[in-house]
Amino acid sequence: MHVHHDSGAVAAPVIGFDQFLAVDIRVGTIVEALPFPEARKPAYRLAIDFGPAIGVKRSSAQITEHYTLDQLPGLQVAAVVNFPPRQIGPMMSEVLTLGFPDADGKVVLFHPGVPVPNGGRLF
């Protein structure tokens, strides 16, 4: 799942709309950000609230270059919520938090420019 760090120079193959719909991308608010010293690459452990239907889910994110732990709580982010959970060191990552690479390939979180209700689905 984590072979997705290419800069996007080449477009991906054409897919059907139903394949896009199969990927459940939701917005949530980070409610907790903790250090993750056990991670192989510098990362944080996040708890993200996706609203009443989905609840709070955990994620590991390699976002240490652009964000400090105290900046993250309250920030709305987008995540894929329907991948199977993945064991990352001692934690179970339940959702894939989404971001884009900056010019140096470091992750910038993808978040709405205007506050939206937690749990909203990307379309």
Side-chain angles (χ1 to χ4, degrees), residues 97-112:
T97 306
L98 300 175
F100 290 106
D102 70 7
D104 299 317
K106 309 299 185 196
V107 179
V108 176
L109 289 169
F110 181 52
H111 63 93

Side-chain angles (χ1 to χ4, degrees), residues 36-63:
F36 193 10
E38 305 91 345
R40 281 198 311 266
K41 296 180 180 171
Y44 297 145
R45 291 182 299 154
L46 306 177
I48 306 167
D49 182 359
F50 292 97
I54 296 172
V56 175
K57 299 290 181 183
R58 308 215 161 265
S59 185
S60 164
Q62 294 170 18
I63 55 172

Side-chain angles (χ1 to χ4, degrees), residues 18-99:
D18 55 338
Q19 289 172 284
F20 168 70
L21 290 178
V23 182
D24 193 356
I25 298 173
R26 304 276 178 150
V27 65
T29 299
I30 297 173
V31 292
E32 183 180 58
L34 298 170
F36 193 10
E38 305 91 345
R40 281 198 311 266
K41 296 180 180 171
Y44 297 145
R45 291 182 299 154
L46 306 177
I48 306 167
D49 182 359
F50 292 97
I54 296 172
V56 175
K57 299 290 181 183
R58 308 215 161 265
S59 185
S60 164
Q62 294 170 18
I63 55 172
T64 57
E65 292 89 356
H66 287 293
Y67 305 91
T68 59
L69 288 171
D70 59 347
Q71 285 178 306
L72 292 165
L75 186 70
Q76 284 198 307
V77 294
V80 177
V81 300
N82 66 333
F83 282 142
R86 291 184 58 222
Q87 189 76 39
I88 302 179
M91 83 165 284
M92 190 62 80
S93 185
E94 300 173 291
V95 300
L96 176 65
T97 306
L98 300 175

